[in-house]
Amino acid sequence: MTTALPPPLPSHPVLRLRLAPRSGMPRPIDGAWWPRSYDLLAELPSLLSGLPSAWGHVTSVTVNGATWPAAPGRMLVSNQVVRLHRALAASAPHTVVLLAPGQGRWDLLVVPPDTTEEAAAPLMAAAASDQE
């Protein structure tokens, strides 16, 4: 009798990120990110490392201060300093704003960590669709 071994678990969870296709026109939302928690220090490194290299080095990240707990004003990600900002704007409570000098600004919809997969999938697909 042969027993099949289960596949090894990935050492890092898969990044849950969907990005909209690139176009010449600015978009209100550039994609969606579904973090596993609201711990910015734990979640941000995998997000930033999973972004396209064409986005350049993101040096500033702004999150909603009412949604995300306090975090230090900056952190080191892949040997690069990233400044963290908490905004209290009620107009975009579920977004994260990424800035890369000379490259651009990207606004991502943040799907709350406790969202079920069934509910998260259409949200992420809509945010990454090429329909504006």
Side-chain angles (χ1 to χ4, degrees):
M1 173 158 68
T2 306
T3 305
L5 296 174
L9 295 174
S11 59
H12 299 289
V14 174
L15 177 63
R16 301 183 298 189
L17 176 68
R18 296 272 312 261
L19 300 175
R22 291 188 66 159
S23 70
M25 300 300 295
R27 304 174 50 93
I29 293 290
D30 299 294
W33 174 43
W34 183 20
R36 288 177 166 70
S37 74
Y38 280 117
D39 180 350
L40 195 57
L41 298 180
E43 299 291 341
L44 196 58
S46 64
L47 171 63
L48 296 182
S49 68
L51 295 174
S53 59
W55 285 23
H57 170 61
V58 172
T59 60
S60 177
V61 175
T62 303
V63 297
N64 183 283
T67 304
W68 294 84
R74 63 182 178 220
M75 67 183 286
L76 196 60
V77 177
S78 300
N79 293 322
Q80 303 277 341
V81 174
V82 177
R83 297 201 182 283
L84 306 176
H85 306 278
R86 294 175 70 232
L88 296 176
S91 62
H94 297 289
T95 61
V96 61
V97 178
L98 310 172
L99 295 174
Q103 297 296 319
R105 167 189 168 146
W106 297 273
D107 292 41
L108 300 177
L109 171 75
V110 176
V111 177
D114 59 352
T115 304
T116 65
E117 188 168 351
E118 294 77 24
L123 292 171
M124 294 185 73
S129 108
D130 57 3
Q131 303 296 316
E132 296 190 31

